[in-house]
Amino acid sequence: MKIDLNSDMGEGFGRWRVADDDSLMDLVSSANIACGFHAGDYAIMDHTVRLAKEKGVGIGAHPGLPDLIGFGRRTMPVSDADMEAMLACQIGALQGVAARHGHRVTHVSYHAAFGTMANASEELALRLVRVIAALDKDLTVFAMTGQPTERAAEKVGLKVHTLFLADRAYTAAGALVPRGQPGAVIHDLDAVRARVRQFLEDGSVTTIDGARLPVKAKSILVHSDTPGSLNIAKAIRAEIDATGAVLTPAHLLAD
């Protein structure tokens, strides 16, 4: 079994950092790199890409809304055309940095409210994946199972990998429990390991209300801004290694 372990990275700004990206890079197979809108800047992007290249880690764009104060987690009243332009700008910026280091952007993973807004309608989801396809038809799109982004990406012929979020609670409908609600973010390492073990063994997750929900995914995501994210990533990696699964960058996984 091949599995991708990915993390959102480069989510600092200037001298401020929110996670130990350098250490996380030793544990993951793919990095979703902030592109300067919700977090990140030219120097952080450059460092993160260079480090990923050295470690053999695949890289993807992690586009968000232009909201540094809100860390891209607040929806904004922007037009669909603005969303398209923002997406192209962020992917293009990372592609430029990657080219400088002889690396290649291989996937796109929407951040927080950008992803929520992208999934607000089938029409917007389709417009955005067409932007991705226009920039590089070989890009893989990360998506949640059953969401408009997944369907839209498949419609335009882009490769899609659905995500299992190891540190977030699920509802019975397969959606994430909204941040701010009790139990939405999972910090307990034993609980994380149990969830990952269950997912790897039978492809399911136990929802917040105790139901067993099938999860069709090949990529496990850990949020770097979750407190204790490095230890969470170590726990997940330990479970992956214990099952004998082969850690593989997302773009190298079979369909």
Side-chain angles (χ1 to χ4, degrees), residues 59-78:
I59 61 171
H62 191 44
L65 295 174
D67 180 19
L68 285 173
I69 294 175
F71 197 63
R73 290 200 170 123
R74 303 180 295 189
T75 57
M76 299 177 68
V78 297

Side-chain angles (χ1 to χ4, degrees), residues 186-223:
I186 299 165
H187 302 280
D188 182 80
L189 295 183
D190 289 337
V192 170
R193 292 189 67 149
R195 286 163 58 83
V196 173
R197 190 180 312 123
Q198 178 180 330
F199 166 72
L200 292 173
E201 288 176 351
D202 64 15
S204 72
V205 64
T206 300
T207 66
I208 197 164
D209 53 359
R212 206 172 186 91
L213 178 74
V215 178
K216 183 181 178 182
K218 295 181 179 179
S219 294
I220 301 174
L221 169 66
V222 58
H223 291 93

Side-chain angles (χ1 to χ4, degrees), residues 50-205:
R50 178 174 53 79
L51 187 61
K53 173 70 173 178
E54 292 173 358
K55 302 288 185 180
V57 172
I59 61 171
H62 191 44
L65 295 174
D67 180 19
L68 285 173
I69 294 175
F71 197 63
R73 290 200 170 123
R74 303 180 295 189
T75 57
M76 299 177 68
V78 297
S79 68
D80 291 356
D82 279 348
M83 291 279 286
E84 291 174 296
M86 282 185 230
L87 180 59
C89 180
Q90 292 178 79
I91 296 173
L94 189 64
Q95 287 174 326
V97 174
R100 175 173 179 259
H101 291 289
H103 212 2
R104 188 173 74 87
V105 176
T106 56
H107 68 270
V108 177
S109 179
Y110 299 154
H111 172 74
F114 192 99
T116 300
M117 293 173 67
N119 285 311
S121 73
E122 301 284 345
E123 179 185 357
L124 177 57
L126 187 59
R127 289 180 64 159
L128 293 175
V129 295
R130 282 174 173 159
V131 172
I132 296 172
L135 294 175
D136 184 350
K137 61 181 178 56
D138 292 325
L139 285 169
T140 296
V141 176
F142 284 1
M144 292 289 290
T145 302
Q147 293 295 311
T149 292
E150 180 188 20
R151 293 189 290 272
E154 290 173 344
K155 186 172 183 179
V156 301
L158 289 173
K159 187 175 180 179
V160 183
H161 280 318
T162 50
L163 294 168
F164 170 59
L165 277 65
D167 55 358
R168 292 294 308 278
Y170 284 73
T171 69
L176 296 179
V177 175
R179 287 180 181 270
Q181 291 190 17
V185 181
I186 299 165
H187 302 280
D188 182 80
L189 295 183
D190 289 337
V192 170
R193 292 189 67 149
R195 286 163 58 83
V196 173
R197 190 180 312 123
Q198 178 180 330
F199 166 72
L200 292 173
E201 288 176 351
D202 64 15
S204 72
V205 64

Side-chain angles (χ1 to χ4, degrees), residues 31 47 72 106 180 203 226:
H47 171 78
T106 56
T226 298

